[in-house]
Amino acid sequence: MDILLRQEYIDKISRYIGKDYIIVLTGQRRVGKSYTLKMIRDLKAKDPANNIIYIDKEKREFDSIKTYQDLNEYIEQHYQKGKMNYILVDEIQDIKEFERTIRSYRTEPDAEIIITGSNAKILSNELSTIIGGRYKEIYIQTLNYKEFLQFHGLEDSDDSLAKYIQFGGLPALVKIGLDNDDAREYQKDIYHTVLLKDVIMRNNIRNTAFIENLVRFIADNIGKIISANSISKYMKSQGDSITATTVMDYTRYLAEAFMIHKVNRYDIHGKRLFESNDKFYFEDHGIRNALVGGTREGDIEKVIENIVYQHLVHLGYDVTVGQLQAGEIDFVCQKAQQRIYIQASYIIADETTRKREFGNLRAIKDNYPKYVISMTPLVTQSDDNGITHLHLRKFLMMDKL
């Protein structure tokens, strides 16, 4: 099967090549970082003036590269003077003290460095300290809805949207197929791999039973405002005596592995961030669905909110949860000087639901754009006294708001 091009990421990477940046591709395992790196490799290999040095730490042929000394030796063996050397390393966090190598080659005039990794802490905090901020992080997400259609050869339709809602955006599902049993087995395999390699082993966690229970709790409560204290109390009621501090540590580890995303609350009137009580969303809602099981009839609101959040991030917004005295705004989205407000709902079927979703937005006394995203039948896009009502399908096909 041909590799399907994710042109948007290729364009982002290309903008920083040749500008003295180390390019860092981050994201959860199996979201497409490796394929994106291979696309760059294949594109640059077409030019005979380039020399490609490619290392994939998930392949056994590179098992011997365990430390920065091993990495230095491999690069030196394959380096070619007189050419532009593209040093491409996949899952670099598996190489001990890799930062030393990166710092050494960053200043070479005939070297470009692009690396990938599945741990945000290692690829931001440590790199920033070692190389002084001369790197550009490009976050690779699971497939958005438009990419999902492209990968699976589907047309935009209610049936295609239903498949996306149920199965999510792991790229390898194009080879496995959207069969419920096979897809779910694959999604659970990825979940266990990420949890083991990037959370449990990375952070030397011994209480593995608790962290699995924690992930399932978050999966069942996406879109709800929850605190470390409330999680701790719930876990104690289930027989797990865990402190709120441990809960905070474990949720941070899960976020650093890109399995979940923590979204802070924002006081719209006071214009400040709250320090507790956050929302959590999954990187891939298909994995989330696999963990909770069943169909989406009973939790469709949660999944829609997760999907809307991820698409807003894809559009380049910094996303927080809005807090008003009168109620909650699902998302407050910032990009440069632009701000928008978003409410996500399943179906606006009665006046009570309409009052809740539209009324909270009307309570915001500024002129920034306001949207309600739903799956209400017959609605594609409409205006309700200055609030735009978009169907989820239309929203997910948009490249900007």
Side-chain angles (χ1 to χ4, degrees), residues 99-115:
E99 305 90 349
R100 291 172 175 261
T101 299
I102 299 304
R103 180 175 59 183
S104 174
Y105 283 97
R106 187 187 74 80
T107 57
E108 295 294 333
D110 57 351
E112 291 282 352
I113 302 171
I114 307 175
I115 61 178

Side-chain angles (χ1 to χ4, degrees), residues 19-214:
K19 295 182 179 179
D20 195 29
Y21 279 101
I22 295 166
I23 299 171
V24 184
L25 310 184
T26 61
Q28 181 189 282
R29 287 181 190 263
R30 300 296 182 266
V31 298
K33 301 188 303 296
S34 298
Y35 278 104
T36 302
L37 193 65
K38 289 175 182 175
M39 292 177 203
I40 294 294
R41 177 197 65 185
D42 295 344
L43 286 170
K44 296 303 178 182
K46 294 177 181 178
D47 186 344
N50 296 332
N51 176 49
I52 309 299
I53 303 172
Y54 178 78
I55 298 167
D56 182 354
K57 276 300 293 173
E58 293 201 320
K59 301 294 186 184
R60 62 177 179 270
E61 64 189 278
F62 300 106
D63 279 348
S64 61
I65 303 177
K66 300 181 183 298
T67 68
Y68 80 94
Q69 295 100 328
D70 301 329
L71 184 57
N72 286 343
E73 183 179 350
Y74 185 90
I75 293 173
E76 283 300 311
Q77 289 174 353
H78 295 83
Y79 210 88
Q80 293 186 22
K81 294 293 184 180
K83 290 190 174 185
M84 178 57 68
N85 292 271
Y86 281 83
I87 301 171
L88 313 177
V89 187
D90 197 12
E91 298 296 352
I92 199 170
Q93 78 275 355
D94 294 333
I95 301 174
K96 187 177 180 180
E97 295 185 282
F98 69 87
E99 305 90 349
R100 291 172 175 261
T101 299
I102 299 304
R103 180 175 59 183
S104 174
Y105 283 97
R106 187 187 74 80
T107 57
E108 295 294 333
D110 57 351
E112 291 282 352
I113 302 171
I114 307 175
I115 61 178
T116 83
S118 303
N119 188 281
K121 179 181 178 182
I122 289 176
L123 291 169
S124 57
N125 296 354
E126 296 183 18
L127 265 183
S128 182
T129 300
I130 293 290
I131 64 176
R134 292 299 297 174
Y135 74 96
K136 179 62 181 177
E137 180 179 344
I138 297 175
Y139 165 48
I140 309 291
Q141 295 178 269
T142 55
L143 302 180
N144 60 46
Y145 178 58
K146 287 175 71 174
E147 291 175 322
F148 176 85
L149 297 177
Q150 176 196 0
F151 271 53
H152 292 279
L154 299 172
E155 297 293 328
D156 176 30
S157 68
D158 287 344
D159 183 61
S160 296
L161 178 60
K163 287 183 170 67
Y164 183 64
I165 289 172
Q166 180 72 353
F167 293 105
L170 289 177
L173 288 180
V174 71
K175 295 183 287 187
I176 296 167
L178 299 179
D179 171 78
N180 197 63
D181 292 337
D182 291 342
R184 289 294 182 244
E185 183 177 351
Y186 173 73
Q187 289 162 335
K188 289 179 180 178
D189 287 344
I190 298 306
Y191 158 70
H192 286 295
T193 298
V194 174
L195 194 67
L196 177 63
K197 290 188 175 182
D198 299 320
V199 181
I200 293 172
M201 293 176 63
R202 180 69 57 190
N203 299 287
N204 298 312
I205 293 174
R206 295 183 179 180
N207 193 346
T208 57
F210 168 70
I211 198 163
E212 290 204 55
N213 288 336
L214 175 62

